[in-house]
Amino acid sequence: MKKIFTLAMMSTFALGAMAQSNGFYHVQNTLTKRYMVLVDNQGKADTSGNVDMEACNTCLDLGTVSVHPGSVFYIENVSGSAYEVKAQGSSLAALTGNRLQVQITAGGDGYELWGSYSGITVYIGDAENKKPRTDDEYQTWSYIKEAGSKNRYWKLHPIDNSSHYIGIEPDCQAGGAYWGTMKAGFSYKLYSSGMEAYYVDAVDNSSFNLKKWDKDVIPATMCVVIKCSSNDPAKNIIKPVTDSASEPSVNWLSGRYFDNGASGHVNRLAYDSNTMRTIGEEGGKLVFKKASSSDLTDGAYCVHNKAYLMDLPSSCSATLYEGSGTGIQSVMNNSKKADDAIYTLNGVRLQKGVTPRPGVYIQNGKKIVVK
């Protein structure tokens, strides 16, 4: 059943300006101890007071949060107590069709997140607002909705590369290293030692070429393969930054921010074994191969924030090897030909002949703006 909630009329009272600076944060409910995680970019706020912001889930497990790019919110002051709270190429305001500009004010045991429109004031809280005897009694996942008097306070933890870090959880081990893939909604730098970033600049019927990314900043939306020295995400930390960089003109890797199957918020991409390959290991070598059901969500869907080889020629074999498997070599001379296909920022390819709606898209490895 689609969960839509109706908000009652409430009086607004400011509790002082937010005592935090612009930056990247984990946002944690002070009562339930769960953290916000953006898992979808669809929502609703109509003029009758019907609001649906359940695309923003909450998660109790900090280990899960620490490897989920959707838990990293960039909070930026707009004016006064008004802020943009952004993640995964979207924002809390966007979930309401930009009707609700989020206000952040100090109060209680943290900060209140709220906004007003059409004479209605909305306070954002965790859906589970009953305090149990122990944290273990909380269900692991919930979602945000209108707040009561107890569950509307949040702590803002700066991403600090220590207790509140964002790290890479490797997908496999091959060639003496651990390997993971990433598509993040923020630019970042590799923070932990021993990490290197690569992209795929060429593919043929039986091999692919990993090209090292030699810039300091990995730009937002760029899909990469990351070489790590550890299987522990706490030792594979990436540092979100506001710096920008241009993406390579050719990159065979694609990905998407979301993989959500909740009723009313279905936002996922079915895996296509004919044209898509996932990273893995075979015979000690790093490979991209046909995914098994265990590599996918619910055995059939692409995992959020991961990168894949996509739109491969039908002649490509089931497994694509990286040369010797012991080091990064230039094993290719060919480059991906521009096919003029247009993709959303979530990695979804538009059908040929379809006129894109106004917005930002990717074509031939570059961002384009359709007005």
Side-chain angles (χ1 to χ4, degrees), residues 202-209 286-288 315-323 331-332:
V203 169
D204 70 5
N205 290 349
S206 61
S207 57
F208 62 91
N209 187 58
L286 182 67
V287 304
F288 277 94
S315 60
C316 279
S317 61
T319 301
L320 301 171
Y321 288 89
E322 176 277 309
V331 297
M332 296 293 302

Side-chain angles (χ1 to χ4, degrees), residues 31-67:
L31 175 65
T32 69
K33 311 302 181 185
R34 293 197 193 92
Y35 297 86
M36 282 189 184
V37 182
L38 195 62
V39 300
D40 183 22
N41 60 353
Q42 303 172 91
K44 177 183 178 182
D46 62 27
T47 55
S48 299
N50 295 313
V51 178
D52 176 12
M53 296 181 69
E54 294 176 22
C56 195
N57 287 182
T58 56
C59 179
L60 182 62
D61 178 45
L62 183 56
T64 300
V65 167
S66 296
V67 297

